[in-house]
Amino acid sequence: MELQLQYFLLLAAFLFCIGIYGLITSRNAIRVLMSIELMLNAVNLNLMAFSNYLDPENIKGQVFTVFVITVAAAEAAVGLAIVLAIYRNRDTVDMEQFNLLKW
Amino acid sequence: MDLAHGVQLVSFGILAAIAIVAALGVVLLQNIVYSAFLLGGVFASMAGMYLLLNGDFVAAAQLIIYVGAVNVLILFGIMLVNKQQDFPAIKGMWIRKGATALVGAGLLVLLAGTIVTTPWAISTATPTGDGSTLKIGEHFFSDFLLPFELASVLLLIAMVGAIVLARREFVPEDTPTTEEELAFKLPERPRETAAIAGGSQTSPE
Amino acid sequence: MDVVTLASQLNAGTIIPEGIVTLTLLVVLVGDLIAGRKSASWLPYVAIVGLLGAIAALFVQWNGTSDTIAFLGAFNGDALSIVFRGIVVLSTIITVLVSISYVRQSGTSLSEFLSILLAATIGGMFLCGASELVTVFIALETLSIASYLMTGYTKGDVRSNEAALKYLLIGAASSAVFLYGASLLYGLAGGETQLDRIGIALSQIETPAIAPVVALVFVICGIAFKLSAAPFHQWTPDVYEGSPTPVVAFLSVGSKAAGFAFAVRMLVTAFGSLTEQWHFIFAALAVLSMILGNAVALAQTSMKRLLAYSSIAQAGFVLIGLIAGTESGYASVIFYLFAYLFMNLGGFACVILFSLRTGTDRISDYAGLYQKDPLLTLTLSICLLSLGGIPPFVGFFGKIYLFWAGWQAELYGLVLLGLITSVISIYYYIRVVKMMVVKEPHEMSETVKNYPEVSWNLPGMRPLQVGIVLALVATSLVGILANPPIDLAKASVQRSPILQASISPAKEVAVSRFAPVQSSEFRVQN
């Protein structure tokens, strides 16, 4: 029995859904950022799997993954800077308390 | 990688189990520090997956950037926002969690169905394998040159912006100063007065 | 290989406008480092000169070569992208004009603000022409990350923090969802990332397949977030209310125009074989946006929130042109965005000026403003009436053109809904105008009673005045002289191969049959 493309894709889908669950239910702003990282990792796994099984000669998926990793790092830095700024002013990272702006 | 199929399958199983358990821990555990370390576990097991998928360069990049930089950054963030805080309970939170879990499960079923039913065009070409680093470099300087250069603008501005947002509250003074003063002092001042003036500019409503 | 041959092989000339903006960004950053805080007096003008240079370069390209594919297919500088890039750059120019005194007053440094704004412009411009998934993604993220940073730029203000956090979390999540869709596209196309090749690969999949539809829905999540179309609009009111007003001005026009260019290119090129499906999804988005945006706007008390819901509704109107899928449909999208550029930025310029002078943006505080500041009242009234679609301002012609194109494409339901919701929208726009103009002197609000003496000589006020007058002139005159921009929009559609390929022959006949009617109709109105 060999490793199939579908195994990787199913794992990626599972990670993606866990990320979405964390995104919606988390109350800590930093945990929301972590959930987004989970989703991006799911995407990366998808890209790597496609790259290996469907595009083994050109491996464009691997290049795409490197770009996603780059952007994810930039996004995490900016996200934490914003979390720090809001923590300085509000002294909390609870998403439920961020309600100065009414939804 | 030229591992036997059995070895590949077993390593996939182990890595997948680590990834799933750690990912569930990230979103379900109460203690945010545990979550951050488990996130590192997810990242590391993803790097293992990439090795199974013949992506040695990307696996290394994953370890260096995700585990080495992003995860450490998140841990630093947690420590800077260092507050043991019990969030006040909210009525109906479990309904929200349950509904979200249902939606997530539905999405998972949809995606799984899509993945299983789609006839993916599996290629039979020889994998690039160990030459992948070379190939990625070629891509960066040929057909992916534009995004590669644009990414440098992105990183530059993310750096500038993150520093602006996260540094302590200093602001250039409004009144112009002479050349001599500029030469001897940092062109930055504490911004208490400016914060009051600027804050009251729009906030009272 | 020397640089010149390499550049010509890559056809690097197509990104000269972006190159000029990038250079300006570096000049602004380094100039600030060298000259210190004195530089704040001349940096904005450097930025404006650079952006005007980019406009000039775009103009040269418009008359230039036919070879538009650059960087081995990563970028397509066709006529469509040139027009959209022009709209993005114009919106940045006006944003720079109106932001100088605001940033100075909020006690933050100007040069970093300008560099982040220029980076957002670069991202938006590349997004208008990106024709390959990785380039699309990087351009999108450059625009988004710069927008998050600008939203949180007044970091002393709690509401700005909160807006930035919400914007970042929702934006990053939607771009992750978009990416998941993009990864499925990569797999479905068997390892291709160029949009046209993905389109070919998707058209060869036998129906009914579920995977392309899933990819389409995920990609539309990313697009609709940028367009702030309902139900992906939740961030809009909060971000508009919380962030510095010049930033909102840019987000509501520049970022949205880039989003529309991205939507057209992505959907027409890659999802050409799924046209029915994406028309259906976009029709649903348009209906929701028009109803929700206009209905909720009725209840707003804050001017910025009112403009936020109005921008959601406007996105719904523009989607009608996109769904029409005909030549005049796309042309009407471009023309309406062009009109929207001036009227919306004019509106925001007035809101900025009012909040600078009084420190509030509550609608009731505008009562009786006519007595104290006629120019502000006149511009804000004209811009709002134009947004509401009242003749003879530019918004009226834009809306007529959109609805006409939708009607020709047999979208009767959507057009009728658009007309009805337009009438509703006129109500809340007029309410503000009435508040400013009709009130008797004794009904004047406290804020207006304490209104400071109108003085344009304070630092940073001249550019704001220029911005306001520019928007005023454009909003009132482009409506009367509507033909050149309409011709420009049409020419850009006709000269863009990707759109010509998608416009079906049957509809083409219908369009050409009605085209003379349309042009004579516009002559009559002029």
Side-chain angles (χ1 to χ4, degrees):
Chain A
M1 194 168 136
E2 244 183 292
L3 267 182
Q4 302 279 326
L5 169 66
Q6 278 85 349
Y7 299 170
F8 291 99
L9 298 186
L10 286 174
L11 176 63
F14 196 71
L15 281 181
F16 190 76
C17 294
I18 293 177
I20 287 189
Y21 175 83
L23 184 77
I24 299 176
T25 57
S26 297
R27 293 184 59 185
N28 190 323
I30 296 180
R31 200 193 298 270
V32 182
L33 281 177
M34 293 201 259
S35 305
I36 289 170
E37 297 298 336
L38 279 183
M39 290 165 76
L40 288 177
N41 265 276
V43 172
N44 283 348
L45 185 58
N46 249 357
L47 287 170
M48 290 298 286
F50 284 134
S51 168
N52 186 45
Y53 284 93
L54 311 182
D55 188 21
E57 274 179 307
N58 276 319
I59 54 168
K60 284 183 179 174
Q62 296 200 10
V63 184
F64 204 152
T65 308
V66 174
F67 279 110
V68 177
I69 292 176
T70 314
V71 169
E75 216 165 52
V78 170
L80 286 169
I82 292 175
V83 170
L84 271 188
I86 197 169
Y87 177 75
R88 284 216 188 98
N89 288 332
R90 297 291 303 274
D91 205 31
T92 180
V93 286
D94 184 0
M95 294 297 290
E96 300 293 332
Q97 309 268 325
F98 299 151
N99 49 9
L100 275 185
L101 306 165
K102 55 179 185 277
W103 282 94
Chain B
M1 278 209 160
D2 301 327
L3 295 177
H5 291 320
V7 180
Q8 285 193 22
L9 205 61
V10 170
S11 16
F12 175 82
I14 296 172
L15 289 171
I18 295 175
I20 289 174
V21 171
L24 284 173
V26 170
V27 297
L28 294 178
L29 285 184
Q30 284 299 313
N31 191 326
I32 185 91
V33 181
Y34 294 167
S35 296
F37 277 106
L38 284 175
L39 189 66
V42 179
F43 291 158
S45 71
M46 282 296 123
M49 293 279 177
Y50 298 166
L51 283 180
L52 284 180
L53 290 166
N54 294 311
D56 36 11
F57 175 78
V58 185
Q62 166 92 4
L63 274 184
I64 294 170
I65 299 176
Y66 262 123
V67 185
V70 174
N71 205 29
V72 173
L73 195 66
I74 287 178
L75 277 169
F76 266 112
I78 292 171
M79 284 184 242
L80 284 173
V81 187
N82 185 16
K83 195 175 183 191
Q84 279 298 325
Q85 186 182 32
D86 289 321
F87 297 136
I90 288 184
K91 264 205 312 194
M93 191 62 191
W94 65 272
I95 299 178
R96 209 166 91 186
K97 282 189 173 166
T100 314
L102 273 182
V103 170
L107 185 67
L108 180 61
V109 170
L110 174 74
L111 288 180
T114 312
I115 290 164
V116 174
T117 53
T118 306
W120 303 103
I122 305 285
S123 166
T124 48
T126 339
T128 316
D130 292 341
S132 65
T133 312
L134 198 67
K135 197 85 195 169
I136 290 173
E138 280 172 9
H139 275 303
F140 275 156
F141 289 100
S142 59
D143 48 348
F144 290 101
L145 180 63
L146 184 64
F148 187 69
E149 297 297 336
L150 185 53
S152 58
V153 175
L154 170 74
L155 289 176
L156 172 72
I157 217 63
M159 183 185 76
V160 170
I163 293 172
V164 168
L165 285 191
R167 77 175 166 188
R168 270 171 297 132
E169 308 283 316
F170 287 110
V171 77
E173 208 172 88
D174 273 338
T175 49
T177 45
T178 56
E179 294 285 339
E180 292 84 353
E181 274 179 302
L182 271 178
F184 291 113
K185 287 183 198 158
L186 275 175
E188 285 182 334
R189 295 271 185 282
R191 60 162 291 179
E192 274 86 30
T193 50
I196 295 161
S200 63
Q201 198 53 245
T202 49
S203 51
E205 284 196 356
Chain C
M1 201 184 330
D2 61 354
V3 178
V4 178
T5 33
L6 185 67
S8 72
Q9 273 180 359
L10 290 173
N11 196 4
T14 41
I15 63 156
I16 285 177
E18 284 82 356
I20 295 175
V21 182
T22 314
L23 212 64
T24 317
L25 162 68
L26 291 177
V27 169
V28 169
L29 262 186
V30 178
D32 176 57
L33 287 180
I34 293 173
R37 86 193 87 146
K38 283 180 303 175
S39 61
S41 55
W42 51 267
L43 278 179
Y45 304 104
V46 171
I48 288 173
V49 168
L51 290 165
L52 287 175
I55 294 262
L58 284 172
F59 191 74
V60 171
Q61 280 189 9
W62 175 263
N63 300 317
T65 57
S66 56
D67 184 18
T68 58
I69 310 281
F71 287 91
L72 307 172
F75 190 80
N76 189 349
D78 55 6
L80 181 77
S81 84
I82 291 178
V83 170
F84 274 108
R85 282 143 86 196
I87 293 177
V88 173
V89 176
L90 272 179
S91 79
T92 312
I93 292 178
I94 300 183
T95 308
V96 172
L97 285 176
V98 300
S99 64
I100 298 171
S101 53
Y102 190 98
V103 174
R104 189 187 288 264
Q105 285 300 311
S106 67
T108 43
S109 88
L110 188 58
S111 65
E112 278 95 349
F113 180 82
L114 288 176
S115 359
I116 300 174
L117 180 63
L118 288 172
T121 313
I122 295 167
M125 289 171 82
F126 274 115
L127 189 58
C128 292
S131 58
E132 192 254 52
L133 282 179
V134 180
T135 316
V136 164
F137 170 63
I138 298 286
L140 184 70
E141 284 299 314
T142 310
L143 175 61
S144 307
I145 288 185
S147 308
Y148 310 148
L149 290 170
M150 286 195 290
T151 305
Y153 196 72
T154 47
K155 56 183 170 177
D157 182 359
V158 188
R159 298 181 311 156
S160 171
N161 298 154
E162 232 183 85
L165 186 65
K166 283 178 182 168
Y167 195 22
L168 174 107
L169 294 179
I170 300 178
S174 87
S175 70
V177 172
F178 165 76
L179 263 185
Y180 195 87
S183 75
L184 285 181
L185 280 183
Y186 171 70
L188 285 169
E192 292 293 348
T193 56
Q194 291 195 8
L195 296 185
D196 47 351
R197 297 204 192 141
I198 291 174
I200 295 168
L202 283 190
S203 65
Q204 283 161 351
I205 294 172
E206 315 101 64
T207 48
I210 185 173
V213 181
V214 172
L216 173 69
V217 171
F218 278 37
V219 166
I220 286 183
C221 283
I223 295 175
F225 166 76
K226 270 275 157 264
L227 302 184
S228 70
F232 300 94
H233 68 283
Q234 279 96 341
W235 60 275
T236 321
D238 291 345
V239 170
Y240 277 37
E241 190 186 359
S243 42
T245 319
V247 176
V248 186
F250 176 77
L251 289 184
S252 69
V253 179
S255 167
K256 200 171 267 200
F260 271 106
F262 163 45
V264 171
R265 198 171 294 278
M266 187 87 196
L267 295 172
V268 167
T269 326
F271 291 102
S273 54
L274 294 165
T275 306
E276 251 172 63
Q277 283 88 340
W278 72 255
H279 276 184
F280 175 75
I281 298 175
F282 268 29
L285 293 181
V287 168
L288 281 175
S289 309
M290 286 190 287
I291 293 179
L292 191 136
N294 284 314
V296 182
L298 288 174
Q300 296 308 314
T301 52
S302 148
M303 195 65 200
K304 278 161 90 178
R305 275 185 100 82
L306 176 86
L307 285 174
Y309 282 103
S310 120
S311 93
I312 294 171
Q314 304 281 349
F317 294 138
V318 180
L319 282 177
I320 294 179
L322 207 59
I323 299 162
T326 55
E327 185 181 307
S328 43
Y330 294 121
S332 68
V333 169
I334 295 171
F335 179 69
Y336 196 80
L337 283 174
F338 188 70
Y340 184 67
L341 165 81
F342 290 110
M343 51 198 191
N344 212 36
L345 285 179
F348 273 112
C350 295
V351 174
I352 290 171
L353 183 56
F354 188 74
S355 71
L356 275 177
R357 288 187 174 152
T358 64
T360 168
D361 75 328
R362 248 198 335 237
I363 292 175
S364 55
D365 286 341
Y366 283 76
L369 185 62
Y370 177 67
Q371 322 271 347
K372 297 270 184 172
D373 195 342
L375 173 70
L376 181 58
T377 314
L378 179 71
T379 313
L380 188 54
S381 308
I382 285 184
C383 289
L384 288 180
L385 292 178
S386 175
L387 279 169
I390 300 216
F393 305 117
V394 63
F396 170 73
F397 296 102
K399 248 179 209 173
I400 288 285
Y401 195 14
L402 268 177
F403 291 156
W404 177 84
W407 194 265
Q408 294 308 322
E410 299 173 357
L411 304 168
Y412 304 122
L414 273 179
V415 172
L416 280 179
L417 185 69
L419 285 172
I420 295 168
T421 47
S422 293
V423 173
I424 298 175
S425 78
I426 290 173
Y427 171 75
Y428 60 77
Y429 292 125
I430 294 254
R431 195 168 58 118
V432 181
V433 176
K434 202 183 105 197
M435 188 74 88
M436 289 188 298
V437 178
V438 183
K439 295 276 177 184
E440 298 291 320
H442 65 270
E443 288 175 303
M444 211 181 267
S445 70
E446 282 303 310
T447 338
V448 173
K449 275 180 192 155
N450 302 328
Y451 199 75
E453 196 65 28
V454 178
S455 156
W456 295 104
N457 289 323
L458 296 169
M461 290 305 258
R462 281 287 162 203
L464 184 54
Q465 190 186 20
V466 171
I468 286 183
V469 171
L470 194 69
L472 173 67
V473 170
T475 308
S476 30
L477 287 190
V478 175
I480 300 160
L481 308 168
N483 270 337
I486 287 184
D487 290 343
L488 186 79
K490 272 192 200 154
S492 72
V493 174
Q494 279 158 3
R495 288 169 49 180
S496 302
I498 61 155
L499 291 183
Q500 287 306 313
S502 81
I503 297 168
S504 59
K507 280 179 179 170
E508 192 64 67
V509 174
V511 169
S512 61
R513 190 147 44 85
F514 284 102
V517 181
Q518 180 259 349
S519 50
S520 63
E521 179 187 69
F522 272 96
R523 294 238 170 78
V524 171
Q525 278 154 356
N526 299 342

